[in-house]
Amino acid sequence: MLKCAALRGRIRRAATLQIVLVLALLCLQPSEAQVPSNAPGPISFYDHDPDAGKIGGIVEFIKASSEADITGYKVYWGSSPTTKLLPLVDITATGNAPQYDIPLGTTVPVVGGNAATYFLVFSFNGNGEMGTGPSLQFHDRHVPYQGPAGVAFSDADYKHGDVQGTITISRASSESDVTDYVLYWGSSASSYLLYITSLPVATYPLVHPIPAGTSLPLGATHLLAYTMNADGMNEVNVASTSVRDRGLPEHAARSVEFVDSDLGKGEISGLVSIFYAADESLISHYLVYYAQAEQGPTGPLLGSTAATGNNVTVLIPADTAPIPGYSYLYVRSKNSDGVMSQGIGTEIVDRYVPTAVAQSVSFLDEDLLADQLAGTIEITPAVDETDITRYAIYFADLYQQPLSFIAEVSSGFDLPNYTLAAATPLPTGAEYLLVLSGSDDGFMTTGTTAALVDRAVPLNVPSQIQFVDTDMDSAELGGTLTVVRANDESDITAYTAYFGTSAVAVASSIHSLVGEILVSSLPSTSAYAAFAISMHTPAPGGVTHFLAFSKNNLGESQTGVSVEIIDKTINFPTVAVSSAGFHDTDLDMGQIGGSLTWVPPASTAGLTSYTAFLALDSTGTGRQQVCSPVPIGSLSCAIAAGTSLGPGANTFTHVIIYTNNGYGEGPGLALLIVDRALPVAVVTSVAFADMDPDVGSLGGQVTWTPPLHNPTSAVHFTEYTAYLSDGPSGFKGTFLGDAVYGSNAITTPFGHAQSNFTHVLVYTKNSVGEALLAAHTEIVDRYLPQEFVENLGFWDQDLAENEIGGDVSWTEPADTSTIALYRVRMDCPGGVLLTLGDAPVGSTTFSVPFNSPLDNCTAFVVTAVNDVGEAIVNATVAIEDKTVESCPSETSHRFASKRWRIVADTDVTTAWRLRGVRFFGDALCSVRLPAVPSDWPRRPRLAVGEPFSLPPEPRHLHELFGAGEDRYAGGAVWMNDSAVASAEKPWWSSGAPCLKASAVNASTGSEPACAVGFRWESDTAVSTRGRAYGSAGNVVASAKKVHCVELEQSDVTGEYAGEVSLQWYDEQRKVYRHLLRRRATGGIVRLAYQAVLAAECNAR
């Protein structure tokens, strides 16, 4: 079936009426060739976009009653129910209700001045759209364009959680689309929480009251104001204000306490303790007032403290006088809204102690044992006991400060006293008795004292008692009773000896007195007191022991020492050992160990054993057994290593071997002890000067300071030894040598491999061996320099024949750590090296004086040198004897620049201070380059320069370059751009240190820490009176060739550079480049380009 559209085209081309009629009939065939015949139902739409001229929402309509011939629906913007403006959307027919969601913010179209106000919907298919369809006039909803200008509210209700006051709304600048203002409680500045009210736009004034007691809604933090009309509320342009819920504190502190710590009468001091309130959420501070009663009224404010969630305090300063009539403290809670009316109080109690002391205290010790006291402490009370209720008694130390409490006694008695019980221990350090006056509030800190005297019989007893009966008659005694003195005799004045009836040396065992010897009668070097028992002295009946006690003016020691009385007869051994020997193998001073040997008697019949003892002398005084009894047949015993010989005067000097039988001990053989020990002395200040010129090889002299003392005892040393070691306390490595006592140096030959050795050790030594400890010094491998200078050069500036003069120059090696100086020589005929002189490390030139004879020498030789010697390698440069014929046609350089500067190349630790910089155009420093206008300031013309500095510091910078210097003997100062005569030229200062670490490498473009320079360009015009009056309109640049510069530095250490350089600015490379550099000191420094060459050539 042909389509009507195609048929219409054919109709236009038909040649005959018949054809037209046929084709027209064909077009009037069945409906499938036509546009839809069913229109959709009614349209609905609600605008959700609040802005004028924009809409958003769902357009929906009822589908056609039959969609059999419908492909979809076309939705149009329209200006009337039938007039289309623009297509909106095509919706496919699906059998479901058609709809389209217009995005929020969709602009309503305007065509030809007509705005769309309708939606039009038409059914369509492939043949076209239906000619009729439903329409809907839509409403463009828009809320007010502007919001309120503001909203204000202040809470006048001082109860927390309640608000009261007036909300004031500032109107929108335009109310043309506003019908109402709406108020809300808000949870933030933009989120509403709870509706309050709405106010018609006609309301005047635009306010709303909040009545007293209004509860602030939970979560409300702001008040929000909106504009509204019939289309809704403008929620974008909201006015808001934060709600500050004003409220006084509602909780007082739980309690308050004050204890006066100033114990002066009529004065208070201490901490007022405030126990924090149960709820501090509304409290920022606590205020403390003086008050007349516990609940007020309050008086002056004492102080305040912040609430912290913990207990807090307020300090009442020392010596504070209470305010009459105000005997309480009162605490109130406070915050930024005010002070709580109620509070809590406490009474002020002025605590004080007495000011009067006891008149005296006395005590007599009745306990005669050391470190124990007994007796009555008697106190003479204070003259005035008005404020005294009690006295406290203390043991006190050397400084009369309380050490330990004894007792407390009440006042009011004529003679207060306290009795110390027998055997009361004397506290360590107690030197005094101290009595302090006290009241109910406390005690004084000073009082009355009495020296404490511990009256006691001796505490120290004799060390030992010995007796050997030399009377061989039965029941008779004879010999010497030896009592070894106590180690501490500070409480002893004498020793007493008794016959005793028991081995227990106490008073009840005493039978009869043998004798008494005063300590003062004994030689200070004697270790014992000797009591003579006459031969044939009969032993008293019942006596079994000798007893000995210490004694002083109060009596004898409570205990003593005893020795059994053995009545020797002819039945005791009468033979002794012989040829005893002992070699000490314990190498510690004051200790022995080793094997003790002897030869038996010619006959050992009846003998049962040998015993060995250490003794203070050859007679056996103070002896101490060192070996268990040795059976007959054995001839040695082992003395254990570490056996002590004892201290001081009680040092054992002999070992004695005794023979024994069933009756007892026979005669002994005494052997002098030789205590063999290693040295203990250590040398100091060890030094090692390595003179071996090779790397990793050592040799030279080890030196030290000998010990201050060389004991004459067993630790005496006789020589020194030295070793290489891998550490200050490492193992002994290579042996370097030894030296006898009296010397302090060892010279060791070259060639010792350093290997992993780091230190030299020096020991003292004797016949027993080397000391266990050594002194040490770190090894520094000193060797010849391994480096040589580079770029060695010489330009002869003396133009006479066979004469030379000028600078030998070089570049230092990268590593100069082993170099001390550079030695400069000339290589002369016959292999002779003529030394000209030395230059210290850091130097790069050596000046050869003019008129120096050449003497057919051919080259300069420069060698690195240190204190070990000269390097094996060196640098040479041939000598070319320059003459007049050698002079160049031009001695100047070719570098012209409008910017030149002087740079501090070394550290200036305080500040760089300069007083003059002068540039010259020639090497002889005679042609001055003006750094101010020529003949300035007599006539107006362009200035020819401007100074600059690093760091930028304009003060006295113009004067530095000589403003007016030609006319004023004292120089000039620059005032209002004019030169004014000055009595003394001022100093320019960098104002800060110039650190080498931040200084320059001009070739890299980095900036120095300190520099001063001149720029020969300016646009400044100067008046006839020498005053700058403006710009000449253009910058005039003048490139200069600086050949000489004079610099005047401060001569104060820390204010001048030790090396300076002259630099020019390369405009092409955009960097500063070096022309000259030289070492400098304080004062005037001159840097000149080939000045000598210029002078020589120009003179000839």
Side-chain angles (χ1 to χ4, degrees), residues 3-5 7-8 11 22-30 33-34:
K3 300 294 184 178
C4 288
L7 292 177
R8 284 193 292 270
I11 290 172
V22 170
L23 293 174
L25 289 172
L26 290 173
C27 187
L28 296 174
Q29 293 304 308
Q34 297 178 359

Side-chain angles (χ1 to χ4, degrees), residues 737-762:
D738 54 17
V740 298
Y741 173 62
S743 62
N744 68 331
I746 294 173
T747 300
T748 185
F750 294 173
H752 294 298
Q754 183 176 3
S755 186
N756 64 332
F757 297 127
T758 59
H759 288 74
V760 171
L761 307 181
V762 176

Side-chain angles (χ1 to χ4, degrees), residues 110-234:
V110 179
V111 178
N114 295 318
T117 57
Y118 284 83
F119 292 124
L120 286 69
V121 180
F122 299 91
S123 305
F124 77 90
N125 60 21
N127 296 318
E129 63 184 43
M130 190 174 177
T132 61
S135 66
L136 173 70
Q137 185 177 13
F138 63 82
H139 174 58
D140 178 11
R141 294 179 63 253
H142 63 277
V143 298
Y145 181 72
Q146 294 184 339
V151 61
F153 174 74
S154 178
D155 180 21
D157 189 311
Y158 281 84
K159 181 181 179 183
H160 182 64
D162 289 354
V163 291
Q164 175 190 357
T166 300
I167 303 173
T168 302
I169 302 173
S170 299
R171 297 178 181 272
S173 58
S174 172
E175 294 179 322
S176 60
D177 55 355
V178 179
T179 62
D180 295 272
Y181 289 91
V182 184
L183 288 172
Y184 281 88
W185 295 109
S187 60
S188 71
S190 58
S191 299
Y192 54 78
L193 181 67
L194 188 65
Y195 172 78
I196 300 175
T197 190
S198 61
L199 302 174
V201 70
T203 302
Y204 287 95
L206 202 56
V207 296
H208 176 71
I210 302 293
T214 299
S215 295
L216 182 67
L218 182 65
T221 60
H222 288 71
L223 279 170
L224 309 181
Y226 300 88
T227 52
M228 190 177 76
N229 59 20
D231 288 332
M233 190 168 68
N234 183 341

Side-chain angles (χ1 to χ4, degrees), residues 887-1035:
C887 281
S889 59
E890 179 62 60
T891 59
S892 64
H893 62 72
R894 57 182 175 81
F895 307 118
S897 176
K898 64 184 180 183
R899 279 188 277 176
W900 289 80
R901 71 182 183 185
I902 295 291
V903 173
D905 282 341
T906 56
D907 286 349
V908 182
T909 56
T910 304
W912 197 24
R913 298 187 73 229
L914 308 174
R915 191 161 60 173
V917 177
R918 294 174 285 278
F919 292 109
F920 298 88
D922 65 319
L924 300 180
C925 309
S926 61
V927 180
R928 177 82 176 273
L929 293 175
V932 293
S934 177
D935 200 22
W936 180 89
R938 293 183 182 176
R939 56 182 181 274
R941 59 179 297 162
L942 290 179
V944 298
E946 180 183 22
F948 59 89
S949 68
L950 287 176
E953 176 49 73
R955 288 176 294 182
H956 306 310
L957 186 59
H958 283 284
E959 295 91 318
L960 182 62
F961 289 89
E965 189 175 34
D966 296 337
R967 296 177 301 287
Y968 303 123
V973 294
W974 191 281
M975 296 182 61
N976 191 24
D977 298 320
S978 299
V980 180
S982 174
E984 181 179 357
K985 220 179 153 185
W987 290 88
W988 174 86
S989 172
S990 64
C994 307
L995 302 180
K996 186 176 179 181
S998 60
V1000 295
N1001 183 349
S1003 63
T1004 66
S1006 60
E1007 284 298 277
C1010 292
V1012 293
F1014 203 83
R1015 180 185 296 108
W1016 276 274
E1017 58 179 3
S1018 176
D1019 66 349
T1020 301
V1022 181
S1023 71
T1024 56
R1025 296 188 178 183
R1027 298 186 180 277
Y1029 62 82
S1031 170
N1034 62 324
V1035 175

Side-chain angles (χ1 to χ4, degrees), residues 29-52:
Q29 293 304 308
S31 61
E32 64 181 10
Q34 297 178 359
V35 299
S37 57
N38 294 304
I43 306 169
S44 67
F45 172 73
Y46 182 83
D47 180 20
H48 289 278
D49 189 300
D51 295 332

Side-chain angles (χ1 to χ4, degrees), residues 343-363:
I344 189 166
T346 187
E347 187 178 5
I348 299 173
V349 178
D350 181 12
R351 299 173 66 247
Y352 57 88
V353 297
T355 57
V357 299
Q359 298 180 63
S360 65
V361 58
S362 61
F363 172 73

